[in-house]
Amino acid sequence: MNLKGPELGLHWQSRHLKASTLEADVHVGLQNYSSALSGQLDSVLNVDTRWRALRTLTTQPQWQYGLALHTHSNFLRGTTTLGFGGYDRLSTQVWLPLRWQSVGNQPWAMDAGWLLWGEHVSRLSQVNSNLQDVTNTQRRGIYLQVSQKMSTSRSVIEPYARWTRVDVSDIRTVMIDGQIRGAYEPQNNRMNLGVKWHFR
C-alpha cells in the first residue's frame, strides 16, 4: 500500500531548561491511498505526533540524546475503487533519538533514531464485525533526518528531509472465515520532505 500527500504541522520547543530540551511536532494531512490489491481511496486523514525529551552532552554541546514518543494514525474510512472497506490504523512507538548540530549562523543538524518498541493496531472490525482487531508488536526500526536553518530578518526557514523504516512486526493469530491465520504489519518506509518556518 502507498499513502502520498501533503501535511501541515506545528513545532514547539521549550526554552530555559539548562541542558534539557522538550520538543513536539504535530502533522495533519489528507493523503491518497493506493494498493494494487485493494484499489484507491482519496483524502485519507493522517495524523502524526512526535514528542522528544533531549539532553545536551556537557563535554560535547553539539550532541543531544534522549527519548521520543511517536504516534501515527491513518483513518482509512470509506470504500476503495475496488470495493474494499477501509479501517483505522494506529501506531505508538518509543524511540531512542540522537542529534548532532553544527555551529554557526546557519547550522546543519543530523537526527537519527532507533526503535525501542512499537505497537500497531489494525481495526479490522470496522470493515466487518466478524473480524478481529489485530495488535502487532514492532521491534526494529530507524530514522534519519537532515536539516539546515537559514536565518532572515524576521524568521528562520529550515528545510529538511526525513527517512523512516520500520521492519516487519511479529505475527498474531486471528480467526478469518473460520480459519486461523497469521496477521502481521509489513515493513514500512516513509519519506518526508518539508520546510519549517520559525517566526521571530
Side-chain angles (χ1 to χ4, degrees), residues 10-15 17 22-25 51-52:
L10 293 175
H11 172 78
W12 172 84
Q13 181 173 322
S14 66
R15 296 183 179 181
L17 293 179
L22 300 177
E23 297 181 1
D25 295 278
W51 309 83
R52 291 175 298 281

Side-chain angles (χ1 to χ4, degrees), residues 69-88:
L69 174 68
H70 296 179
T71 67
H72 310 282
S73 303
N74 303 124
F75 300 100
L76 288 156
R77 305 292 176 85
T79 304
T80 69
T81 54
L82 296 181
F84 289 88
Y87 55 89
D88 295 346

Side-chain angles (χ1 to χ4, degrees), residues 37-53:
L37 297 177
S38 56
Q40 300 177 349
L41 183 64
D42 294 338
S43 300
V44 173
L45 177 62
N46 183 78
V47 180
D48 291 342
T49 69
R50 302 174 192 144
W51 309 83
R52 291 175 298 281

Side-chain angles (χ1 to χ4, degrees), residues 47-119:
V47 180
D48 291 342
T49 69
R50 302 174 192 144
W51 309 83
R52 291 175 298 281
L54 299 173
R55 186 164 183 83
T56 302
L57 289 174
T58 55
T59 56
Q60 299 287 337
Q62 291 177 260
W63 291 91
Q64 290 181 301
Y65 67 96
L67 199 63
L69 174 68
H70 296 179
T71 67
H72 310 282
S73 303
N74 303 124
F75 300 100
L76 288 156
R77 305 292 176 85
T79 304
T80 69
T81 54
L82 296 181
F84 289 88
Y87 55 89
D88 295 346
R89 295 162 42 83
L90 312 172
S91 293
T92 303
Q93 300 165 347
V94 179
W95 294 81
L96 181 65
L98 182 67
R99 175 180 295 164
W100 173 86
Q101 184 170 288
S102 68
V103 295
N105 295 328
Q106 300 189 32
W108 286 87
M110 297 185 66
D111 290 79
W114 290 266
L115 180 65
L116 299 177
W117 172 88
E119 181 179 85

